[in-house]
Amino acid sequence: MTQELIETVNVLRPGKSLVVAIDGPSGSGKSSVSKEVARRLKLAYLDTGAMYRALTWFCLQNGTDLDDGAAVETAAETLPLEISTSPEDEYVRVGGTDVTLAIREPSISAAVSAVATTLGARTELIRRQRELIEKHHRRMVVEGRDITTVVVPAAEVRMLLTASEEARLRRRGIQLGGSQNAEQLAAQVTHRDAKDSTVVNFTTAADGVVTLDSSELDFDGTVQAALDIVDTVINHPALKQSSARHRATQGD
């Protein structure tokens, strides 16, 4: 089903804040699902992972030593970043250079964990993420690894989008058009997750975070399950989030 054929829903909480925070491991479908949820709910959209990738590109272009935490932090503070906050238009620019495709290259994927685990750099990018959320009057779908627990723990809706390792490797392989072998896929998915998990937990849902296991769901099914979670949390506050978690993981 194309995005054009998917009808949008009525605006939720008009005039009020509605932040949907979505965390999850590599290959879980965070970006594509979050973007479509934002489109359906008529919210802004922020891919925080793209910010870390853009910083990685910036560091590599400038010859910054990724093992030098102070240097990476300085790079984060001076990063001339422009990033789309619309689910309809994807772009990432650094110093006016369009790096939308470049930051998805294997070389960036192999190096991004070194940047993402630099605490000073995380602090600066989190500051920028919060600034963007406020700029959009707290009406945004924000996805990443520490959104539900660090960036915006008071989000109206918080969910952890996960999937089995097999499903995640398969999806990432399809996303990359079969250009990566099994070892390269593992490096992009499981190995990177292992490194990033040293500074943030994105594999286990924190209290109040609803888990959506998409292992057995296709794209449309996952989007619908995510929208069901938003509906349950926003429109049916009397229902326990545990019940929403059960429905989401069962794909009902």
Side-chain angles (χ1 to χ4, degrees):
M1 183 180 295
T2 64
Q3 289 188 347
E4 289 75 13
L5 294 177
I6 301 176
E7 296 295 330
T8 56
V9 300
N10 293 329
V11 176
L12 295 179
R13 292 171 59 86
K16 298 180 180 179
S17 63
L18 177 55
V19 177
V20 179
I22 302 179
D23 287 330
S26 300
S28 60
K30 291 192 309 296
S31 295
S32 57
V33 170
S34 297
K35 188 181 298 183
E36 181 59 18
V37 167
R39 196 184 76 80
R40 294 275 296 274
L41 296 177
K42 300 180 181 178
L43 300 175
Y45 163 74
L46 180 61
D47 176 357
T48 64
M51 298 176 72
Y52 288 98
R53 286 176 173 272
L55 176 56
T56 303
W57 183 90
F58 184 60
C59 287
L60 293 178
Q61 284 292 113
N62 293 333
T64 303
D65 182 357
L66 300 186
D67 292 324
D68 185 340
V72 173
E73 180 177 352
T74 297
E77 293 170 347
T78 58
L79 174 67
L81 177 67
E82 298 174 70
I83 186 168
S84 168
T85 53
S86 167
E88 305 288 356
D89 183 24
E90 178 183 3
Y91 66 79
V92 183
R93 304 184 188 114
V94 175
T97 299
D98 189 329
V99 298
T100 308
L101 297 179
I103 63 173
R104 304 298 174 181
E105 292 291 329
S107 60
I108 301 298
S109 297
V112 67
S113 284
V115 170
T117 54
T118 300
L119 297 182
R122 292 194 74 86
T123 297
E124 169 58 19
L125 292 189
I126 287 169
R127 183 193 67 78
R128 296 193 189 200
Q129 291 156 19
R130 289 171 173 164
E131 189 175 76
L132 286 169
I133 294 169
E134 294 299 328
K135 179 181 178 180
H136 288 278
H137 309 290
R138 296 182 63 84
R139 292 189 61 82
M140 177 179 274
V141 176
V142 190
E143 56 104 343
R145 295 179 181 272
D146 60 354
I147 312 305
T148 64
T149 55
V150 177
V151 179
V152 57
E156 283 72 23
V157 181
R158 298 187 297 155
M159 70 180 81
L160 177 69
L161 177 58
T162 188
S164 68
E165 182 175 317
E166 178 184 8
R168 292 188 290 118
L169 287 171
R170 182 180 68 252
R171 290 169 184 171
R172 182 53 58 89
I174 293 173
Q175 180 186 32
L176 296 174
S179 62
Q180 308 293 298
N181 59 36
E183 184 177 352
Q184 290 172 317
L185 284 175
Q188 288 203 24
V189 178
T190 57
H191 298 175
R192 181 189 166 194
D193 285 348
K195 292 178 181 178
D196 288 0
S197 64
T198 62
V199 295
V200 62
N201 177 21
F202 50 86
T203 58
T204 304
D207 288 345
V209 176
V210 182
T211 297
L212 169 49
D213 187 335
S214 66
S215 300
E216 304 300 325
L217 300 175
D218 61 11
F219 173 73
D220 289 342
T222 305
V223 170
Q224 188 57 57
L227 290 170
D228 287 346
I229 290 172
V230 174
D231 176 65
T232 297
V233 174
I234 296 299
N235 294 324
H236 307 283
L239 295 178
K240 297 293 184 180
Q241 285 193 334
S242 58
S243 65
R245 177 184 187 279
H246 175 75
R247 288 193 303 146
T249 55
Q250 294 300 311
D252 293 342

